[in-house]
Amino acid sequence: MLEFISPLINALISLVAFLDSMPAYMRALLAGLIALSMLRFFELRVCEDEIQFCQSYRKSCLSALIVVPLVVALLPGSRMAVFVEEVPASAVWLGYLWPVLGLIWLSGSGIALLMLIRAYQRTLTILNQARVLQGDEKVFTRLSHWQNRLGMRRTPELAEVSSALPQSLPGSSRLGFPASALVGPDNVADILLIHELCHHKRHHYAWLLIGNLVACCYWPITWIPKLTGRLLAGFQISTDSLAESCYGDPISYNRGLRALEQRSRIPGRKSTNQTPSHPENLWQRCRQRLVDYTDALRSLTAPRTSFALNFEALFASRENRDKHINDEPYDKVFW
């Protein structure tokens, strides 16, 4: 029996020696990667129909990926001590490996963080240079009305921007409102206002910033931007539900969403649902995965700073919800 246990014990002692040779920053990084793998395993298995649970879990994932490495790095007493009779001497090359890996990781995080700062700086420049709307314009009456409906006391400063959707920053008192919505139908302007106020009421911009920061810290792991994207998709559905209840007229609200979709559509662009082609052999699959991974890394150079409306997913979610509401629940009536 001992001859079967001895190799396992020796491997365990070697692993302890390997971990003991790590500096504090590499231990923190390793703890973050282990937490990430565990969170990813469960996140891919959550039920997407439970919107509130999905949002809470993904918010917890982003928070844990920041807290766990900080606890390991800043609180050495939180680590578990393993006592062995003798720890094998670590290889000399490990002393040079950890600084090189740390420098590579820090360089990638620094570049991604620089791109994130530049993206937010561009948005801040647009908001600061935009024309501030005066209080006598009609949009301020609508803004005050929807603020009262949502129970918000802080009145943002409206500025005219050329984008198709509103722009804002976390903690900023200025809200960039599309110039095209100022001269369009009132229901389109109302929907844009309600959606933006709901985002601020539920601090969605702060979670967007946290997701971008976590993606910078774990830049080689492309699952983090996908996690943030799924969290933003959940925000869109919950915001739409709150906005519709605040609007008070589901038919007019749906008509306004359709009008907003028509105004946001790029002329000459047709939406086609193409079935993705599956590579045939192993080499093509590996090449396709490498291309997808490279594209995901390249997306870190252009991070999102504001919310966009995915009308296709939004209308699909609304149709699915209406279908469940309108279906006759014979089984429920029977039970």
Side-chain angles (χ1 to χ4, degrees):
M1 185 67 179
L2 186 60
E3 61 183 4
F4 295 104
I5 300 179
S6 295
L8 181 61
I9 295 176
N10 293 333
L12 202 55
I13 294 176
S14 300
L15 178 61
V16 171
F18 178 76
L19 296 176
D20 189 66
S21 64
M22 284 184 174
Y25 59 88
M26 288 304 299
R27 293 181 184 180
L29 180 59
L30 179 62
L33 292 177
I34 293 174
L36 186 145
S37 61
M38 296 173 61
L39 294 171
R40 182 179 185 275
F41 176 81
F42 291 105
E43 193 271 337
L44 295 176
R45 288 159 177 79
V46 297
C47 180
E48 294 294 337
D49 292 336
E50 300 292 337
I51 301 296
Q52 297 300 327
F53 175 77
C54 290
Q55 290 185 21
S56 300
Y57 182 79
R58 285 162 183 158
K59 289 177 182 178
S60 302
C61 289
L62 294 176
S63 303
L65 292 176
I66 297 177
V67 173
V68 170
L70 290 178
V71 170
V72 174
L74 302 178
L75 300 176
S78 62
R79 305 172 191 161
M80 182 180 66
V82 179
F83 298 96
V84 295
E85 294 182 358
E86 182 181 359
V87 177
S90 57
V92 179
W93 58 272
L94 286 177
Y96 301 99
L97 177 63
W98 303 131
V100 172
L101 289 178
L103 183 61
I104 293 174
W105 197 286
L106 187 62
S107 300
S109 298
I111 294 173
L113 185 60
L114 180 61
M115 294 295 104
L116 179 63
I117 293 174
R118 290 184 61 182
Y120 274 94
Q121 200 169 28
R122 284 194 296 267
T123 305
L124 182 62
T125 303
I126 292 173
L127 292 177
N128 289 336
Q129 295 179 353
R131 182 181 72 88
V132 179
L133 299 177
Q134 303 301 322
D136 55 348
E137 299 196 29
K138 184 176 64 174
V139 67
F140 278 93
T141 304
R142 311 303 302 162
L143 175 64
S144 176
H145 172 71
W146 299 123
Q147 274 190 293
N148 293 331
R149 291 292 303 270
L150 290 170
M152 299 178 64
R153 299 180 180 178
R154 182 180 177 184
T155 302
E157 185 181 31
L158 291 182
E160 183 180 349
V161 294
S162 58
S163 60
L165 293 174
Q167 292 185 352
S168 185
L169 291 174
S172 176
S173 59
R174 180 169 291 190
L175 192 155
F177 195 74
S180 59
L182 295 174
V183 295
D186 290 340
N187 57 352
V188 173
D190 288 338
I191 290 174
L192 288 176
L193 278 175
I194 299 173
H195 271 254
E196 198 66 14
L197 291 176
C198 290
H199 284 312
H200 281 278
K201 181 179 178 64
R202 295 188 170 179
H203 309 289
H204 290 170
Y205 277 98
W207 284 108
L208 174 59
L209 176 58
I210 291 174
N212 288 331
L213 289 175
V214 175
C216 293
C217 295
Y218 295 86
W219 63 271
I221 313 298
T222 57
W223 173 72
I224 303 295
K226 296 178 182 178
L227 171 72
T228 306
R230 287 191 285 268
L231 178 62
L232 298 183
F235 284 164
Q236 176 179 251
I237 296 174
S238 61
T239 298
D240 176 72
S241 178
L242 178 60
E244 185 179 20
S245 62
C246 178
Y247 196 85
D249 188 355
I251 298 177
S252 299
Y253 179 83
N254 188 69
R255 190 182 300 116
L257 271 182
R258 294 290 180 181
L260 182 59
E261 180 196 19
Q262 295 294 330
R263 295 168 66 92
S264 303
R265 186 176 298 172
I266 300 176
R269 182 179 177 182
K270 298 181 180 180
S271 59
T272 56
N273 297 325
Q274 297 181 353
T275 304
S277 59
H278 298 282
E280 297 179 357
N281 52 35
L282 179 61
W283 165 249
Q284 291 179 349
R285 288 196 297 268
C286 293
R287 184 179 179 181
Q288 184 62 38
R289 289 187 179 182
L290 182 60
V291 170
D292 294 341
Y293 181 75
T294 306
D295 292 341
L297 286 182
R298 194 178 293 114
S299 66
L300 292 176
T301 61
R304 294 176 56 179
T305 59
S306 58
F307 288 90
L309 281 173
N310 186 351
F311 291 101
E312 184 178 356
L314 182 60
F315 286 128
S317 173
R318 292 174 61 84
E319 289 175 2
N320 185 39
R321 181 200 63 184
D322 295 339
K323 180 181 178 181
H324 286 293
I325 293 176
N326 297 328
D327 282 346
E328 297 184 15
Y330 290 113
D331 53 344
K332 295 181 180 180
V333 171
F334 171 77
W335 289 110

